PDB file of all heavy atoms in Angstrom:
ATOM      1  N   THR A  16      53.955  73.828  68.983  1.00 94.00           N
ATOM      2  CA  THR A  16      52.894  73.662  69.981  1.00 94.00           C
ATOM      3  C   THR A  16      51.984  72.494  69.623  1.00 94.00           C
ATOM      4  O   THR A  16      51.673  71.640  70.460  1.00 94.00           O
ATOM      5  CB  THR A  16      52.074  74.953  70.100  1.00 94.00           C
ATOM      6  OG1 THR A  16      52.938  76.031  70.452  1.00 94.00           O
ATOM      7  CG2 THR A  16      50.988  74.804  71.148  1.00 94.00           C
ATOM      8  N   GLY A  17      51.540  72.453  68.368  1.00 94.00           N
ATOM      9  CA  GLY A  17      50.612  71.415  67.949  1.00 94.00           C
ATOM     10  C   GLY A  17      51.206  70.029  67.990  1.00 94.00           C
ATOM     11  O   GLY A  17      50.504  69.046  68.262  1.00 94.00           O
ATOM     12  N   SER A  18      52.491  69.929  67.732  1.00 92.00           N
ATOM     13  CA  SER A  18      53.120  68.608  67.682  1.00 92.00           C
ATOM     14  C   SER A  18      53.139  67.928  69.043  1.00 92.00           C
ATOM     15  O   SER A  18      53.305  66.714  69.142  1.00 92.00           O
ATOM     16  CB  SER A  18      54.546  68.711  67.135  1.00 92.00           C
ATOM     17  OG  SER A  18      55.370  69.453  68.016  1.00 92.00           O
ATOM     18  N   SER A  19      52.939  68.705  70.095  1.00 91.00           N
ATOM     19  CA  SER A  19      52.928  68.117  71.440  1.00 91.00           C
ATOM     20  C   SER A  19      51.557  67.570  71.816  1.00 91.00           C
ATOM     21  O   SER A  19      51.382  67.026  72.910  1.00 91.00           O
ATOM     22  CB  SER A  19      53.354  69.163  72.463  1.00 91.00           C
ATOM     23  OG  SER A  19      52.428  70.246  72.503  1.00 91.00           O
ATOM     24  N   ALA A  20      50.578  67.679  70.913  1.00 90.00           N
ATOM     25  CA  ALA A  20      49.214  67.268  71.224  1.00 90.00           C
ATOM     26  C   ALA A  20      48.986  65.772  71.061  1.00 90.00           C
ATOM     27  O   ALA A  20      47.932  65.268  71.445  1.00 90.00           O
ATOM     28  CB  ALA A  20      48.229  68.035  70.337  1.00 90.00           C
ATOM     29  N   VAL A  21      49.939  65.061  70.468  1.00 94.00           N
ATOM     30  CA  VAL A  21      49.760  63.626  70.233  1.00 94.00           C
ATOM     31  C   VAL A  21      50.999  62.871  70.707  1.00 94.00           C
ATOM     32  O   VAL A  21      52.055  63.461  70.946  1.00 94.00           O
ATOM     33  CB  VAL A  21      49.508  63.322  68.727  1.00 94.00           C
ATOM     34  CG1 VAL A  21      48.262  64.028  68.240  1.00 94.00           C
ATOM     35  CG2 VAL A  21      50.729  63.716  67.888  1.00 94.00           C
ATOM     36  N   GLU A  22      50.841  61.561  70.812  1.00 95.00           N
ATOM     37  CA  GLU A  22      51.962  60.699  71.169  1.00 95.00           C
ATOM     38  C   GLU A  22      52.677  60.249  69.895  1.00 95.00           C
ATOM     39  O   GLU A  22      52.068  59.637  69.015  1.00 95.00           O
ATOM     40  CB  GLU A  22      51.458  59.478  71.939  1.00 95.00           C
ATOM     41  CG  GLU A  22      50.915  59.802  73.323  1.00 95.00           C
ATOM     42  CD  GLU A  22      52.000  60.253  74.288  1.00 95.00           C
ATOM     43  OE1 GLU A  22      53.162  59.838  74.104  1.00 95.00           O
ATOM     44  OE2 GLU A  22      51.692  61.042  75.211  1.00 95.00           O
ATOM     45  N   TRP A  23      53.944  60.590  69.796  1.00 96.00           N
ATOM     46  CA  TRP A  23      54.746  60.188  68.646  1.00 96.00           C
ATOM     47  C   TRP A  23      55.465  58.872  68.978  1.00 96.00           C
ATOM     48  O   TRP A  23      55.797  58.607  70.126  1.00 96.00           O
ATOM     49  CB  TRP A  23      55.758  61.268  68.293  1.00 96.00           C
ATOM     50  CG  TRP A  23      55.109  62.556  67.869  1.00 96.00           C
ATOM     51  CD1 TRP A  23      54.570  63.505  68.683  1.00 96.00           C
ATOM     52  CD2 TRP A  23      54.899  63.017  66.538  1.00 96.00           C
ATOM     53  NE1 TRP A  23      54.046  64.549  67.953  1.00 96.00           N
ATOM     54  CE2 TRP A  23      54.239  64.276  66.615  1.00 96.00           C
ATOM     55  CE3 TRP A  23      55.209  62.521  65.276  1.00 96.00           C
ATOM     56  CZ2 TRP A  23      53.885  65.018  65.495  1.00 96.00           C
ATOM     57  CZ3 TRP A  23      54.871  63.257  64.144  1.00 96.00           C
ATOM     58  CH2 TRP A  23      54.210  64.478  64.259  1.00 96.00           C
ATOM     59  N   ALA A  24      55.713  58.083  67.930  1.00 95.00           N
ATOM     60  CA  ALA A  24      56.331  56.772  68.135  1.00 95.00           C
ATOM     61  C   ALA A  24      57.451  56.557  67.130  1.00 95.00           C
ATOM     62  O   ALA A  24      57.654  57.348  66.206  1.00 95.00           O
ATOM     63  CB  ALA A  24      55.279  55.669  67.998  1.00 95.00           C
ATOM     64  N   VAL A  25      58.179  55.464  67.305  1.00 94.00           N
ATOM     65  CA  VAL A  25      59.220  55.093  66.347  1.00 94.00           C
ATOM     66  C   VAL A  25      58.553  54.761  65.015  1.00 94.00           C
ATOM     67  O   VAL A  25      57.513  54.100  64.992  1.00 94.00           O
ATOM     68  CB  VAL A  25      60.016  53.873  66.858  1.00 94.00           C
ATOM     69  CG1 VAL A  25      61.024  53.418  65.814  1.00 94.00           C
ATOM     70  CG2 VAL A  25      60.699  54.218  68.169  1.00 94.00           C
ATOM     71  N   PRO A  26      59.097  55.229  63.883  1.00 93.00           N
ATOM     72  CA  PRO A  26      58.485  54.952  62.583  1.00 93.00           C
ATOM     73  C   PRO A  26      58.278  53.458  62.360  1.00 93.00           C
ATOM     74  O   PRO A  26      59.131  52.636  62.708  1.00 93.00           O
ATOM     75  CB  PRO A  26      59.490  55.531  61.588  1.00 93.00           C
ATOM     76  CG  PRO A  26      60.225  56.576  62.357  1.00 93.00           C
ATOM     77  CD  PRO A  26      60.301  56.075  63.763  1.00 93.00           C
ATOM     78  N   GLY A  27      57.126  53.116  61.771  1.00 86.00           N
ATOM     79  CA  GLY A  27      56.778  51.709  61.596  1.00 86.00           C
ATOM     80  C   GLY A  27      56.747  51.247  60.175  1.00 86.00           C
ATOM     81  O   GLY A  27      55.887  50.438  59.815  1.00 86.00           O
ATOM     82  N   GLY A  28      57.621  51.735  59.325  1.00 82.00           N
ATOM     83  CA  GLY A  28      57.646  51.294  57.935  1.00 82.00           C
ATOM     84  C   GLY A  28      56.905  52.262  57.032  1.00 82.00           C
ATOM     85  O   GLY A  28      56.524  53.363  57.430  1.00 82.00           O
ATOM     86  N   LYS A  29      56.669  51.820  55.810  1.00 88.00           N
ATOM     87  CA  LYS A  29      56.066  52.683  54.792  1.00 88.00           C
ATOM     88  C   LYS A  29      54.544  52.696  54.924  1.00 88.00           C
ATOM     89  O   LYS A  29      53.825  52.059  54.155  1.00 88.00           O
ATOM     90  CB  LYS A  29      56.484  52.215  53.401  1.00 88.00           C
ATOM     91  CG  LYS A  29      57.986  52.281  53.159  1.00 88.00           C
ATOM     92  CD  LYS A  29      58.339  51.828  51.751  1.00 88.00           C
ATOM     93  CE  LYS A  29      59.839  51.901  51.511  1.00 88.00           C
ATOM     94  NZ  LYS A  29      60.206  51.469  50.139  1.00 88.00           N
ATOM     95  N   GLN A  30      54.069  53.442  55.910  1.00 89.00           N
ATOM     96  CA  GLN A  30      52.644  53.523  56.171  1.00 89.00           C
ATOM     97  C   GLN A  30      52.043  54.754  55.498  1.00 89.00           C
ATOM     98  O   GLN A  30      52.633  55.830  55.524  1.00 89.00           O
ATOM     99  CB  GLN A  30      52.395  53.596  57.682  1.00 89.00           C
ATOM    100  CG  GLN A  30      52.859  52.374  58.447  1.00 89.00           C
ATOM    101  CD  GLN A  30      52.101  51.128  58.040  1.00 89.00           C
ATOM    102  OE1 GLN A  30      50.890  51.166  57.846  1.00 89.00           O
ATOM    103  NE2 GLN A  30      52.814  50.026  57.892  1.00 89.00           N
ATOM    104  N   PRO A  31      50.840  54.606  54.905  1.00 94.00           N
ATOM    105  CA  PRO A  31      50.196  55.783  54.318  1.00 94.00           C
ATOM    106  C   PRO A  31      49.629  56.692  55.401  1.00 94.00           C
ATOM    107  O   PRO A  31      49.422  56.274  56.547  1.00 94.00           O
ATOM    108  CB  PRO A  31      49.081  55.167  53.469  1.00 94.00           C
ATOM    109  CG  PRO A  31      48.745  53.883  54.154  1.00 94.00           C
ATOM    110  CD  PRO A  31      50.052  53.380  54.704  1.00 94.00           C
ATOM    111  N   LEU A  32      49.402  57.940  55.033  1.00 96.00           N
ATOM    112  CA  LEU A  32      48.793  58.933  55.918  1.00 96.00           C
ATOM    113  C   LEU A  32      49.462  58.968  57.288  1.00 96.00           C
ATOM    114  O   LEU A  32      48.841  58.719  58.317  1.00 96.00           O
ATOM    115  CB  LEU A  32      47.296  58.674  56.058  1.00 96.00           C
ATOM    116  CG  LEU A  32      46.455  59.025  54.827  1.00 96.00           C
ATOM    117  CD1 LEU A  32      44.986  58.796  55.092  1.00 96.00           C
ATOM    118  CD2 LEU A  32      46.700  60.447  54.375  1.00 96.00           C
ATOM    119  N   THR A  33      50.746  59.279  57.267  1.00 97.00           N
ATOM    120  CA  THR A  33      51.525  59.323  58.498  1.00 97.00           C
ATOM    121  C   THR A  33      52.297  60.632  58.581  1.00 97.00           C
ATOM    122  O   THR A  33      52.855  61.109  57.585  1.00 97.00           O
ATOM    123  CB  THR A  33      52.510  58.142  58.554  1.00 97.00           C
ATOM    124  OG1 THR A  33      51.775  56.924  58.435  1.00 97.00           O
ATOM    125  CG2 THR A  33      53.268  58.136  59.864  1.00 97.00           C
ATOM    126  N   TRP A  34      52.294  61.222  59.774  1.00 97.00           N
ATOM    127  CA  TRP A  34      53.074  62.420  60.049  1.00 97.00           C
ATOM    128  C   TRP A  34      54.420  62.008  60.640  1.00 97.00           C
ATOM    129  O   TRP A  34      54.499  61.068  61.438  1.00 97.00           O
ATOM    130  CB  TRP A  34      52.337  63.306  61.053  1.00 97.00           C
ATOM    131  CG  TRP A  34      51.035  63.851  60.538  1.00 97.00           C
ATOM    132  CD1 TRP A  34      49.844  63.186  60.473  1.00 97.00           C
ATOM    133  CD2 TRP A  34      50.791  65.167  60.043  1.00 97.00           C
ATOM    134  NE1 TRP A  34      48.872  64.000  59.951  1.00 97.00           N
ATOM    135  CE2 TRP A  34      49.423  65.234  59.683  1.00 97.00           C
ATOM    136  CE3 TRP A  34      51.586  66.296  59.869  1.00 97.00           C
ATOM    137  CZ2 TRP A  34      48.841  66.378  59.163  1.00 97.00           C
ATOM    138  CZ3 TRP A  34      51.010  67.441  59.345  1.00 97.00           C
ATOM    139  CH2 TRP A  34      49.658  67.485  58.993  1.00 97.00           C
ATOM    140  N   HIS A  35      55.460  62.718  60.252  1.00 97.00           N
ATOM    141  CA  HIS A  35      56.801  62.452  60.760  1.00 97.00           C
ATOM    142  C   HIS A  35      57.421  63.780  61.199  1.00 97.00           C
ATOM    143  O   HIS A  35      57.249  64.809  60.532  1.00 97.00           O
ATOM    144  CB  HIS A  35      57.692  61.814  59.692  1.00 97.00           C
ATOM    145  CG  HIS A  35      57.083  60.613  59.032  1.00 97.00           C
ATOM    146  ND1 HIS A  35      56.997  59.381  59.642  1.00 97.00           N
ATOM    147  CD2 HIS A  35      56.517  60.467  57.803  1.00 97.00           C
ATOM    148  CE1 HIS A  35      56.428  58.517  58.829  1.00 97.00           C
ATOM    149  NE2 HIS A  35      56.120  59.146  57.704  1.00 97.00           N
ATOM    150  N   LYS A  36      58.155  63.746  62.299  1.00 98.00           N
ATOM    151  CA  LYS A  36      58.826  64.966  62.750  1.00 98.00           C
ATOM    152  C   LYS A  36      60.243  64.647  63.196  1.00 98.00           C
ATOM    153  O   LYS A  36      60.563  63.517  63.584  1.00 98.00           O
ATOM    154  CB  LYS A  36      58.056  65.631  63.887  1.00 98.00           C
ATOM    155  CG  LYS A  36      58.172  64.926  65.234  1.00 98.00           C
ATOM    156  CD  LYS A  36      57.587  65.787  66.360  1.00 98.00           C
ATOM    157  CE  LYS A  36      57.817  65.149  67.734  1.00 98.00           C
ATOM    158  NZ  LYS A  36      57.347  65.995  68.843  1.00 98.00           N
ATOM    159  N   ALA A  37      61.098  65.671  63.124  1.00 98.00           N
ATOM    160  CA  ALA A  37      62.484  65.531  63.576  1.00 98.00           C
ATOM    161  C   ALA A  37      63.023  66.912  63.921  1.00 98.00           C
ATOM    162  O   ALA A  37      62.536  67.934  63.423  1.00 98.00           O
ATOM    163  CB  ALA A  37      63.341  64.873  62.503  1.00 98.00           C
ATOM    164  N   LEU A  38      64.033  66.930  64.770  1.00 98.00           N
ATOM    165  CA  LEU A  38      64.740  68.157  65.114  1.00 98.00           C
ATOM    166  C   LEU A  38      66.118  68.139  64.460  1.00 98.00           C
ATOM    167  O   LEU A  38      66.729  67.078  64.305  1.00 98.00           O
ATOM    168  CB  LEU A  38      64.882  68.298  66.624  1.00 98.00           C
ATOM    169  CG  LEU A  38      63.575  68.463  67.420  1.00 98.00           C
ATOM    170  CD1 LEU A  38      63.873  68.456  68.917  1.00 98.00           C
ATOM    171  CD2 LEU A  38      62.866  69.746  67.024  1.00 98.00           C
ATOM    172  N   PHE A  39      66.620  69.312  64.088  1.00 98.00           N
ATOM    173  CA  PHE A  39      67.940  69.372  63.454  1.00 98.00           C
ATOM    174  C   PHE A  39      68.564  70.740  63.684  1.00 98.00           C
ATOM    175  O   PHE A  39      67.874  71.724  63.985  1.00 98.00           O
ATOM    176  CB  PHE A  39      67.830  69.080  61.957  1.00 98.00           C
ATOM    177  CG  PHE A  39      67.110  70.144  61.154  1.00 98.00           C
ATOM    178  CD1 PHE A  39      67.813  71.134  60.477  1.00 98.00           C
ATOM    179  CD2 PHE A  39      65.721  70.153  61.066  1.00 98.00           C
ATOM    180  CE1 PHE A  39      67.161  72.111  59.728  1.00 98.00           C
ATOM    181  CE2 PHE A  39      65.059  71.113  60.321  1.00 98.00           C
ATOM    182  CZ  PHE A  39      65.774  72.095  59.659  1.00 98.00           C
ATOM    183  N   ASN A  40      69.868  70.789  63.532  1.00 98.00           N
ATOM    184  CA  ASN A  40      70.616  72.036  63.603  1.00 98.00           C
ATOM    185  C   ASN A  40      70.883  72.559  62.197  1.00 98.00           C
ATOM    186  O   ASN A  40      71.072  71.782  61.251  1.00 98.00           O
ATOM    187  CB  ASN A  40      71.936  71.835  64.332  1.00 98.00           C
ATOM    188  CG  ASN A  40      71.733  71.463  65.785  1.00 98.00           C
ATOM    189  OD1 ASN A  40      70.716  71.800  66.392  1.00 98.00           O
ATOM    190  ND2 ASN A  40      72.697  70.751  66.353  1.00 98.00           N
ATOM    191  N   ALA A  41      70.904  73.857  62.047  1.00 98.00           N
ATOM    192  CA  ALA A  41      71.167  74.455  60.748  1.00 98.00           C
ATOM    193  C   ALA A  41      72.601  74.174  60.317  1.00 98.00           C
ATOM    194  O   ALA A  41      73.526  74.245  61.134  1.00 98.00           O
ATOM    195  CB  ALA A  41      70.927  75.955  60.795  1.00 98.00           C
ATOM    196  N   PRO A  42      72.809  73.841  59.045  1.00 97.00           N
ATOM    197  CA  PRO A  42      74.181  73.639  58.575  1.00 97.00           C
ATOM    198  C   PRO A  42      74.944  74.956  58.596  1.00 97.00           C
ATOM    199  O   PRO A  42      74.366  76.025  58.383  1.00 97.00           O
ATOM    200  CB  PRO A  42      73.993  73.119  57.152  1.00 97.00           C
ATOM    201  CG  PRO A  42      72.641  73.582  56.740  1.00 97.00           C
ATOM    202  CD  PRO A  42      71.810  73.620  57.980  1.00 97.00           C
ATOM    203  N   PRO A  43      76.236  74.909  58.884  1.00 96.00           N
ATOM    204  CA  PRO A  43      77.023  76.152  58.930  1.00 96.00           C
ATOM    205  C   PRO A  43      77.124  76.794  57.549  1.00 96.00           C
ATOM    206  O   PRO A  43      76.900  76.153  56.526  1.00 96.00           O
ATOM    207  CB  PRO A  43      78.392  75.680  59.426  1.00 96.00           C
ATOM    208  CG  PRO A  43      78.461  74.232  59.045  1.00 96.00           C
ATOM    209  CD  PRO A  43      77.056  73.713  59.145  1.00 96.00           C
ATOM    210  N   GLY A  44      77.468  78.067  57.535  1.00 96.00           N
ATOM    211  CA  GLY A  44      77.649  78.780  56.280  1.00 96.00           C
ATOM    212  C   GLY A  44      76.376  79.458  55.821  1.00 96.00           C
ATOM    213  O   GLY A  44      75.380  79.547  56.549  1.00 96.00           O
ATOM    214  N   SER A  45      76.417  79.954  54.602  1.00 96.00           N
ATOM    215  CA  SER A  45      75.287  80.699  54.049  1.00 96.00           C
ATOM    216  C   SER A  45      74.732  80.087  52.770  1.00 96.00           C
ATOM    217  O   SER A  45      73.855  80.671  52.128  1.00 96.00           O
ATOM    218  CB  SER A  45      75.715  82.146  53.767  1.00 96.00           C
ATOM    219  OG  SER A  45      76.812  82.170  52.849  1.00 96.00           O
ATOM    220  N   ASP A  46      75.244  78.911  52.374  1.00 97.00           N
ATOM    221  CA  ASP A  46      74.743  78.276  51.159  1.00 97.00           C
ATOM    222  C   ASP A  46      73.256  77.960  51.302  1.00 97.00           C
ATOM    223  O   ASP A  46      72.785  77.603  52.387  1.00 97.00           O
ATOM    224  CB  ASP A  46      75.504  76.979  50.871  1.00 97.00           C
ATOM    225  CG  ASP A  46      76.936  77.222  50.439  1.00 97.00           C
ATOM    226  OD1 ASP A  46      77.209  78.323  49.917  1.00 97.00           O
ATOM    227  OD2 ASP A  46      77.779  76.327  50.630  1.00 97.00           O
ATOM    228  N   PRO A  47      72.487  78.061  50.222  1.00 98.00           N
ATOM    229  CA  PRO A  47      71.065  77.711  50.272  1.00 98.00           C
ATOM    230  C   PRO A  47      70.867  76.269  50.736  1.00 98.00           C
ATOM    231  O   PRO A  47      71.731  75.410  50.530  1.00 98.00           O
ATOM    232  CB  PRO A  47      70.605  77.900  48.826  1.00 98.00           C
ATOM    233  CG  PRO A  47      71.578  78.864  48.229  1.00 98.00           C
ATOM    234  CD  PRO A  47      72.888  78.563  48.892  1.00 98.00           C
ATOM    235  N   VAL A  48      69.707  76.021  51.347  1.00 98.00           N
ATOM    236  CA  VAL A  48      69.414  74.734  51.960  1.00 98.00           C
ATOM    237  C   VAL A  48      68.201  74.108  51.278  1.00 98.00           C
ATOM    238  O   VAL A  48      67.273  74.806  50.855  1.00 98.00           O
ATOM    239  CB  VAL A  48      69.142  74.902  53.468  1.00 98.00           C
ATOM    240  CG1 VAL A  48      68.766  73.573  54.122  1.00 98.00           C
ATOM    241  CG2 VAL A  48      70.361  75.504  54.164  1.00 98.00           C
ATOM    242  N   ALA A  49      68.225  72.768  51.182  1.00 98.00           N
ATOM    243  CA  ALA A  49      67.115  72.043  50.550  1.00 98.00           C
ATOM    244  C   ALA A  49      66.892  70.724  51.266  1.00 98.00           C
ATOM    245  O   ALA A  49      67.802  70.168  51.893  1.00 98.00           O
ATOM    246  CB  ALA A  49      67.403  71.800  49.074  1.00 98.00           C
ATOM    247  N   LEU A  50      65.660  70.216  51.152  1.00 98.00           N
ATOM    248  CA  LEU A  50      65.323  68.877  51.613  1.00 98.00           C
ATOM    249  C   LEU A  50      65.333  67.926  50.430  1.00 98.00           C
ATOM    250  O   LEU A  50      64.737  68.212  49.382  1.00 98.00           O
ATOM    251  CB  LEU A  50      63.941  68.869  52.264  1.00 98.00           C
ATOM    252  CG  LEU A  50      63.846  69.405  53.690  1.00 98.00           C
ATOM    253  CD1 LEU A  50      62.388  69.615  54.081  1.00 98.00           C
ATOM    254  CD2 LEU A  50      64.523  68.456  54.666  1.00 98.00           C
ATOM    255  N   ASP A  51      66.009  66.809  50.582  1.00 98.00           N
ATOM    256  CA  ASP A  51      65.993  65.748  49.578  1.00 98.00           C
ATOM    257  C   ASP A  51      64.824  64.825  49.924  1.00 98.00           C
ATOM    258  O   ASP A  51      64.875  64.068  50.895  1.00 98.00           O
ATOM    259  CB  ASP A  51      67.309  64.978  49.609  1.00 98.00           C
ATOM    260  CG  ASP A  51      67.343  63.825  48.606  1.00 98.00           C
ATOM    261  OD1 ASP A  51      66.342  63.604  47.891  1.00 98.00           O
ATOM    262  OD2 ASP A  51      68.381  63.137  48.538  1.00 98.00           O
ATOM    263  N   MET A  52      63.770  64.857  49.113  1.00 98.00           N
ATOM    264  CA  MET A  52      62.563  64.071  49.379  1.00 98.00           C
ATOM    265  C   MET A  52      62.385  62.957  48.350  1.00 98.00           C
ATOM    266  O   MET A  52      61.299  62.391  48.225  1.00 98.00           O
ATOM    267  CB  MET A  52      61.339  64.991  49.362  1.00 98.00           C
ATOM    268  CG  MET A  52      61.397  66.128  50.360  1.00 98.00           C
ATOM    269  SD  MET A  52      61.489  65.581  52.083  1.00 98.00           S
ATOM    270  CE  MET A  52      59.882  64.832  52.273  1.00 98.00           C
ATOM    271  N   GLY A  53      63.437  62.617  47.646  1.00 97.00           N
ATOM    272  CA  GLY A  53      63.334  61.659  46.556  1.00 97.00           C
ATOM    273  C   GLY A  53      62.931  60.260  46.965  1.00 97.00           C
ATOM    274  O   GLY A  53      62.428  59.493  46.137  1.00 97.00           O
ATOM    275  N   SER A  54      63.130  59.908  48.227  1.00 97.00           N
ATOM    276  CA  SER A  54      62.791  58.560  48.672  1.00 97.00           C
ATOM    277  C   SER A  54      61.357  58.461  49.193  1.00 97.00           C
ATOM    278  O   SER A  54      60.891  57.369  49.523  1.00 97.00           O
ATOM    279  CB  SER A  54      63.751  58.117  49.786  1.00 97.00           C
ATOM    280  OG  SER A  54      63.582  58.920  50.942  1.00 97.00           O
ATOM    281  N   MET A  55      60.674  59.600  49.279  1.00 97.00           N
ATOM    282  CA  MET A  55      59.329  59.607  49.833  1.00 97.00           C
ATOM    283  C   MET A  55      58.283  59.468  48.718  1.00 97.00           C
ATOM    284  O   MET A  55      58.621  59.361  47.527  1.00 97.00           O
ATOM    285  CB  MET A  55      59.108  60.881  50.636  1.00 97.00           C
ATOM    286  CG  MET A  55      60.042  61.006  51.837  1.00 97.00           C
ATOM    287  SD  MET A  55      59.796  59.691  53.062  1.00 97.00           S
ATOM    288  CE  MET A  55      58.306  60.277  53.871  1.00 97.00           C
ATOM    289  N   GLY A  56      57.018  59.468  49.098  1.00 97.00           N
ATOM    290  CA  GLY A  56      55.943  59.314  48.130  1.00 97.00           C
ATOM    291  C   GLY A  56      55.353  60.644  47.721  1.00 97.00           C
ATOM    292  O   GLY A  56      55.822  61.307  46.808  1.00 97.00           O
ATOM    293  N   LYS A  57      54.315  61.054  48.420  1.00 98.00           N
ATOM    294  CA  LYS A  57      53.632  62.319  48.129  1.00 98.00           C
ATOM    295  C   LYS A  57      53.168  62.916  49.439  1.00 98.00           C
ATOM    296  O   LYS A  57      52.728  62.199  50.345  1.00 98.00           O
ATOM    297  CB  LYS A  57      52.433  62.085  47.213  1.00 98.00           C
ATOM    298  CG  LYS A  57      51.565  63.308  46.945  1.00 98.00           C
ATOM    299  CD  LYS A  57      50.368  62.946  46.085  1.00 98.00           C
ATOM    300  CE  LYS A  57      49.479  64.146  45.795  1.00 98.00           C
ATOM    301  NZ  LYS A  57      48.844  64.708  46.995  1.00 98.00           N
ATOM    302  N   GLY A  58      53.268  64.245  49.568  1.00 98.00           N
ATOM    303  CA  GLY A  58      52.811  64.873  50.790  1.00 98.00           C
ATOM    304  C   GLY A  58      53.171  66.337  50.866  1.00 98.00           C
ATOM    305  O   GLY A  58      53.308  67.012  49.840  1.00 98.00           O
ATOM    306  N   GLN A  59      53.361  66.829  52.089  1.00 98.00           N
ATOM    307  CA  GLN A  59      53.678  68.225  52.329  1.00 98.00           C
ATOM    308  C   GLN A  59      54.745  68.322  53.417  1.00 98.00           C
ATOM    309  O   GLN A  59      54.916  67.394  54.208  1.00 98.00           O
ATOM    310  CB  GLN A  59      52.424  69.004  52.749  1.00 98.00           C
ATOM    311  CG  GLN A  59      51.310  68.971  51.708  1.00 98.00           C
ATOM    312  CD  GLN A  59      50.084  69.746  52.132  1.00 98.00           C
ATOM    313  OE1 GLN A  59      50.181  70.876  52.606  1.00 98.00           O
ATOM    314  NE2 GLN A  59      48.912  69.146  51.958  1.00 98.00           N
ATOM    315  N   MET A  60      55.444  69.492  53.460  1.00 98.00           N
ATOM    316  CA  MET A  60      56.569  69.684  54.378  1.00 98.00           C
ATOM    317  C   MET A  60      56.460  71.035  55.079  1.00 98.00           C
ATOM    318  O   MET A  60      56.017  72.011  54.461  1.00 98.00           O
ATOM    319  CB  MET A  60      57.893  69.677  53.607  1.00 98.00           C
ATOM    320  CG  MET A  60      58.123  68.525  52.676  1.00 98.00           C
ATOM    321  SD  MET A  60      59.284  69.014  51.357  1.00 98.00           S
ATOM    322  CE  MET A  60      58.303  70.192  50.437  1.00 98.00           C
TER     323      MET A  60
END
């Protein structure tokens, strides 16, 4: 609901203090799932 409150745009490079969103489908199977955040800086998910 909250994500619809602002206008989202195409990412503009390595900008500080930026929110990013994406949609995805769950991978098949029952194996545990993780996000690889090694290329990012610091933040929350």
Side-chain angles (χ1 to χ4, degrees):
T16 302
S18 65
S19 63
V21 300
E22 292 292 332
W23 297 79
V25 176
K29 298 181 180 180
Q30 297 296 319
L32 287 183
T33 303
W34 295 80
H35 309 285
K36 74 170 185 176
L38 295 175
F39 68 96
N40 295 334
S45 59
D46 290 335
V48 177
L50 282 168
D51 178 359
M52 302 299 293
S54 65
M55 298 297 283
K57 174 183 180 295
Q59 301 180 47
M60 309 155 292

